[in-house]
Amino acid sequence: MHEMSLSMDTVDLVVEQATQQGFNKVTKVWLEIGVLSCVEPDTIKFCFDLAAKETIAQDAALEIVPKAGEAHCYDCDKAISLAQRGESCPICHGYKLKVLQGDEMRIKEIEVE
């Protein structure tokens, strides 16, 4: 389950940044997860709560911000939207696609006290 290691890394980064800036408590984290990232948002939420135990991020709310998937189709030379990996181009039904966005996961914002 790679969501646990992703959650641990996220908590480490959030705690590090909050501590460096002199804050004592993280109350909320906004995490952007692309629909093509192969990361399960519900599992991330569960793992985040576990990873945050006994840190200044314990009990912090985790808000998942979905990021749409976009790709370039080499067959028809169009930018397209993708809802999940493995889909064909909705225009020409080709599979020669280059993902442009939606495969990332990043911390968008941190709320602290």
Side-chain angles (χ1 to χ4, degrees), residues 57-75:
Q58 183 169 330
D59 300 323
L62 179 64
E63 186 75 29
I64 302 294
V65 180
K67 175 109 177 183
E70 291 183 14
H72 175 80
C73 178
Y74 288 110
D75 291 331

Side-chain angles (χ1 to χ4, degrees):
M1 173 167 55
H2 71 289
E3 280 87 351
M4 181 53 95
S5 64
L6 291 171
S7 294
M8 291 169 66
D9 289 345
T10 300
V11 168
D12 288 347
L13 185 57
V14 164
V15 167
E16 177 185 325
Q17 290 300 308
T19 303
Q20 282 180 359
Q21 296 179 35
F23 295 102
N24 299 318
K25 180 80 176 146
V26 175
T27 56
K28 192 168 186 176
V29 175
W30 286 264
L31 189 62
E32 183 177 71
I33 300 178
V35 297
L36 307 176
S37 67
C38 299
V39 174
E40 178 56 48
D42 289 336
T43 306
I44 282 285
K45 282 186 175 188
F46 176 78
C47 292
F48 181 87
D49 289 342
L50 292 175
K53 284 194 185 291
E54 299 180 19
T55 73
I56 65 169
Q58 183 169 330
D59 300 323
L62 179 64
E63 186 75 29
I64 302 294
V65 180
K67 175 109 177 183
E70 291 183 14
H72 175 80
C73 178
Y74 288 110
D75 291 331
C76 66
D77 198 32
K78 302 281 185 197
I80 59 166
S81 295
L82 290 177
Q84 64 184 18
R85 286 199 178 271
E87 284 186 339
S88 65
C89 173
I91 299 168
C92 73
H93 305 291
Y95 285 94
K96 294 179 187 169
L97 307 175
K98 177 183 179 188
V99 173
L100 302 174
Q101 78 169 27
D103 60 349
E104 65 272 17
M105 182 179 114
R106 70 183 183 111
I107 300 166
K108 285 201 56 106
E109 192 173 338
I110 303 168
E111 182 179 274
V112 293
E113 293 179 349

